[in-house]
Amino acid sequence: MLVIKNLENVKRMAENDTSDFKYFVDIYSEAPYAIDTFSVSVLSSDAIKALKNAQKGSIIGPVSSTRGGFEIYHLLDVIPSAERFVRAS
C-alpha cells in the first residue's frame, strides 16, 4: 500500500534527521502539528500495541487510525494513572 510505504519513509527520515518531528508533520501531514495528552482508549488497537512497548522518544507507526487511514506518533511520555494516558505528537 502506497500510503504505508510513504509513512515508513517519513518515519525513517524523522528517525535519522536532527530536525524536530514538527518539521515532518508540517510537510507531510494533513492535520496540524499538536502535542496532545490523551487516553489510550482513543487509539486504535494497532497504535496501542505499538506504543505499549515503546520507549520515550520513539517514533511509532505507521499504525491504523480510529479515524481511518494511518498515522505515525512521536512518543513524548507515558503518564501513569488509574487510566493509562500517553503524551504524543
Side-chain angles (χ1 to χ4, degrees):
M1 182 177 271
L2 185 57
V3 172
I4 292 174
K5 188 174 273 294
N6 288 341
L7 282 174
E8 288 170 345
N9 288 332
V10 171
K11 177 184 174 185
R12 201 170 12 265
M13 287 187 293
E15 289 172 332
N16 295 312
D17 195 294
T18 58
S19 298
D20 188 48
F21 189 70
K22 180 184 182 306
Y23 170 79
F24 295 97
V25 173
D26 290 343
I27 293 172
Y28 297 105
S29 179
E30 295 174 358
Y33 177 81
I35 296 177
D36 295 318
T37 301
F38 47 89
S39 169
V40 172
S41 64
V42 301
L43 298 171
S44 70
S45 60
D46 289 343
I48 292 169
K49 287 177 202 171
L51 289 164
K52 190 174 187 176
N53 298 314
Q55 300 296 316
K56 291 180 190 176
S58 298
I59 298 176
I60 309 306
V63 295
S64 62
S65 168
T66 56
R67 297 172 294 200
F70 296 90
E71 300 175 325
I72 58 175
Y73 296 97
H74 181 213
L75 180 62
L76 302 174
D77 204 355
V78 175
I79 302 167
S81 72
E83 185 177 354
R84 192 167 181 112
F85 289 84
V86 295
R87 184 175 181 101
S89 65

